PDB file of all heavy atoms in Angstrom:
ATOM      1  N   LEU A 320    -109.762 -82.110 -99.819  1.00 97.00           N
ATOM      2  CA  LEU A 320    -110.823 -81.256 -99.233  1.00 97.00           C
ATOM      3  C   LEU A 320    -110.145 -80.246 -98.349  1.00 97.00           C
ATOM      4  O   LEU A 320    -109.438 -80.552 -97.418  1.00 97.00           O
ATOM      5  CB  LEU A 320    -111.785 -82.155 -98.495  1.00 97.00           C
ATOM      6  CG  LEU A 320    -113.191 -81.563 -98.154  1.00 97.00           C
ATOM      7  CD1 LEU A 320    -113.915 -81.228 -99.456  1.00 97.00           C
ATOM      8  CD2 LEU A 320    -114.015 -82.556 -97.326  1.00 97.00           C
ATOM      9  N   LEU A 321    -110.485 -78.993 -98.691  1.00 98.00           N
ATOM     10  CA  LEU A 321    -109.898 -77.860 -97.912  1.00 98.00           C
ATOM     11  C   LEU A 321    -111.055 -77.218 -97.055  1.00 98.00           C
ATOM     12  O   LEU A 321    -111.925 -76.592 -97.622  1.00 98.00           O
ATOM     13  CB  LEU A 321    -109.312 -76.885 -98.953  1.00 98.00           C
ATOM     14  CG  LEU A 321    -108.540 -75.651 -98.474  1.00 98.00           C
ATOM     15  CD1 LEU A 321    -107.393 -76.027 -97.624  1.00 98.00           C
ATOM     16  CD2 LEU A 321    -108.050 -74.916 -99.713  1.00 98.00           C
ATOM     17  N   VAL A 322    -110.990 -77.455 -95.806  1.00 97.00           N
ATOM     18  CA  VAL A 322    -112.010 -76.961 -94.877  1.00 97.00           C
ATOM     19  C   VAL A 322    -111.577 -75.658 -94.256  1.00 97.00           C
ATOM     20  O   VAL A 322    -110.498 -75.584 -93.664  1.00 97.00           O
ATOM     21  CB  VAL A 322    -112.351 -77.972 -93.771  1.00 97.00           C
ATOM     22  CG1 VAL A 322    -113.245 -77.482 -92.732  1.00 97.00           C
ATOM     23  CG2 VAL A 322    -112.907 -79.283 -94.413  1.00 97.00           C
ATOM     24  N   ILE A 323    -112.373 -74.597 -94.397  1.00 97.00           N
ATOM     25  CA  ILE A 323    -111.964 -73.272 -93.954  1.00 97.00           C
ATOM     26  C   ILE A 323    -112.999 -72.568 -93.052  1.00 97.00           C
ATOM     27  O   ILE A 323    -114.111 -72.453 -93.427  1.00 97.00           O
ATOM     28  CB  ILE A 323    -111.742 -72.345 -95.194  1.00 97.00           C
ATOM     29  CG1 ILE A 323    -110.681 -72.978 -96.154  1.00 97.00           C
ATOM     30  CG2 ILE A 323    -111.318 -70.951 -94.802  1.00 97.00           C
ATOM     31  CD1 ILE A 323    -110.622 -72.260 -97.480  1.00 97.00           C
ATOM     32  N   GLY A 324    -112.549 -72.275 -91.828  1.00 96.00           N
ATOM     33  CA  GLY A 324    -113.373 -71.428 -90.961  1.00 96.00           C
ATOM     34  C   GLY A 324    -114.571 -72.117 -90.399  1.00 96.00           C
ATOM     35  O   GLY A 324    -115.659 -71.489 -90.264  1.00 96.00           O
ATOM     36  N   THR A 325    -114.487 -73.379 -90.086  1.00 94.00           N
ATOM     37  CA  THR A 325    -115.602 -74.061 -89.400  1.00 94.00           C
ATOM     38  C   THR A 325    -115.045 -75.111 -88.479  1.00 94.00           C
ATOM     39  O   THR A 325    -114.030 -75.719 -88.743  1.00 94.00           O
ATOM     40  CB  THR A 325    -116.629 -74.704 -90.358  1.00 94.00           C
ATOM     41  OG1 THR A 325    -117.452 -75.661 -89.640  1.00 94.00           O
ATOM     42  CG2 THR A 325    -115.924 -75.454 -91.531  1.00 94.00           C
ATOM     43  N   SER A 326    -115.646 -75.189 -87.301  1.00 93.00           N
ATOM     44  CA  SER A 326    -115.231 -76.272 -86.379  1.00 93.00           C
ATOM     45  C   SER A 326    -115.833 -77.640 -86.603  1.00 93.00           C
ATOM     46  O   SER A 326    -115.625 -78.514 -85.848  1.00 93.00           O
ATOM     47  CB  SER A 326    -115.485 -75.782 -84.934  1.00 93.00           C
ATOM     48  OG  SER A 326    -116.836 -75.449 -84.786  1.00 93.00           O
ATOM     49  N   LEU A 327    -116.637 -77.719 -87.736  1.00 93.00           N
ATOM     50  CA  LEU A 327    -117.219 -78.979 -88.145  1.00 93.00           C
ATOM     51  C   LEU A 327    -118.121 -79.638 -87.059  1.00 93.00           C
ATOM     52  O   LEU A 327    -118.035 -80.801 -86.801  1.00 93.00           O
ATOM     53  CB  LEU A 327    -116.101 -79.941 -88.593  1.00 93.00           C
ATOM     54  CG  LEU A 327    -115.325 -79.552 -89.832  1.00 93.00           C
ATOM     55  CD1 LEU A 327    -114.118 -80.427 -90.013  1.00 93.00           C
ATOM     56  CD2 LEU A 327    -116.200 -79.640 -91.064  1.00 93.00           C
ATOM     57  N   THR A 328    -119.009 -78.795 -86.491  1.00 89.00           N
ATOM     58  CA  THR A 328    -119.916 -79.311 -85.512  1.00 89.00           C
ATOM     59  C   THR A 328    -121.352 -79.364 -86.054  1.00 89.00           C
ATOM     60  O   THR A 328    -122.221 -79.955 -85.400  1.00 89.00           O
ATOM     61  CB  THR A 328    -119.898 -78.426 -84.190  1.00 89.00           C
ATOM     62  OG1 THR A 328    -120.014 -77.075 -84.631  1.00 89.00           O
ATOM     63  CG2 THR A 328    -118.657 -78.663 -83.448  1.00 89.00           C
ATOM     64  N   VAL A 329    -121.592 -78.744 -87.219  1.00 86.00           N
ATOM     65  CA  VAL A 329    -122.982 -78.663 -87.711  1.00 86.00           C
ATOM     66  C   VAL A 329    -123.209 -79.761 -88.790  1.00 86.00           C
ATOM     67  O   VAL A 329    -122.459 -79.808 -89.757  1.00 86.00           O
ATOM     68  CB  VAL A 329    -123.270 -77.276 -88.308  1.00 86.00           C
ATOM     69  CG1 VAL A 329    -124.657 -77.227 -88.847  1.00 86.00           C
ATOM     70  CG2 VAL A 329    -123.053 -76.229 -87.230  1.00 86.00           C
ATOM     71  N   TYR A 330    -124.159 -80.641 -88.465  1.00 86.00           N
ATOM     72  CA  TYR A 330    -124.481 -81.700 -89.467  1.00 86.00           C
ATOM     73  C   TYR A 330    -125.599 -81.217 -90.417  1.00 86.00           C
ATOM     74  O   TYR A 330    -126.288 -80.295 -90.064  1.00 86.00           O
ATOM     75  CB  TYR A 330    -124.928 -82.940 -88.594  1.00 86.00           C
ATOM     76  CG  TYR A 330    -123.797 -83.647 -88.028  1.00 86.00           C
ATOM     77  CD1 TYR A 330    -123.144 -83.199 -86.901  1.00 86.00           C
ATOM     78  CD2 TYR A 330    -123.229 -84.757 -88.661  1.00 86.00           C
ATOM     79  CE1 TYR A 330    -122.047 -83.823 -86.368  1.00 86.00           C
ATOM     80  CE2 TYR A 330    -122.123 -85.415 -88.165  1.00 86.00           C
ATOM     81  CZ  TYR A 330    -121.538 -84.911 -87.027  1.00 86.00           C
ATOM     82  OH  TYR A 330    -120.403 -85.565 -86.508  1.00 86.00           O
ATOM     83  N   PRO A 331    -125.662 -81.845 -91.552  1.00 86.00           N
ATOM     84  CA  PRO A 331    -124.946 -82.978 -92.051  1.00 86.00           C
ATOM     85  C   PRO A 331    -123.604 -82.702 -92.707  1.00 86.00           C
ATOM     86  O   PRO A 331    -122.899 -83.661 -93.032  1.00 86.00           O
ATOM     87  CB  PRO A 331    -125.920 -83.586 -93.136  1.00 86.00           C
ATOM     88  CG  PRO A 331    -126.588 -82.412 -93.672  1.00 86.00           C
ATOM     89  CD  PRO A 331    -126.733 -81.371 -92.541  1.00 86.00           C
ATOM     90  N   LEU A 332    -123.222 -81.460 -92.825  1.00 90.00           N
ATOM     91  CA  LEU A 332    -121.912 -81.202 -93.522  1.00 90.00           C
ATOM     92  C   LEU A 332    -120.761 -81.868 -92.810  1.00 90.00           C
ATOM     93  O   LEU A 332    -119.873 -82.465 -93.433  1.00 90.00           O
ATOM     94  CB  LEU A 332    -121.708 -79.672 -93.633  1.00 90.00           C
ATOM     95  CG  LEU A 332    -120.464 -79.306 -94.526  1.00 90.00           C
ATOM     96  CD1 LEU A 332    -120.660 -79.809 -95.920  1.00 90.00           C
ATOM     97  CD2 LEU A 332    -120.248 -77.840 -94.499  1.00 90.00           C
ATOM     98  N   ALA A 333    -120.744 -81.793 -91.499  1.00 92.00           N
ATOM     99  CA  ALA A 333    -119.687 -82.412 -90.748  1.00 92.00           C
ATOM    100  C   ALA A 333    -119.620 -83.883 -91.025  1.00 92.00           C
ATOM    101  O   ALA A 333    -118.524 -84.456 -91.138  1.00 92.00           O
ATOM    102  CB  ALA A 333    -119.897 -82.179 -89.209  1.00 92.00           C
ATOM    103  N   GLY A 334    -120.766 -84.563 -91.230  1.00 92.00           N
ATOM    104  CA  GLY A 334    -120.802 -85.963 -91.574  1.00 92.00           C
ATOM    105  C   GLY A 334    -120.157 -86.191 -92.920  1.00 92.00           C
ATOM    106  O   GLY A 334    -119.513 -87.211 -93.101  1.00 92.00           O
TER     107      GLY A 334
END
Side-chain angles (χ1 to χ4, degrees):
L320 197 61
L321 185 55
V322 172
I323 302 169
T325 165
S326 52
L327 293 169
T328 49
V329 179
Y330 282 79
L332 187 62

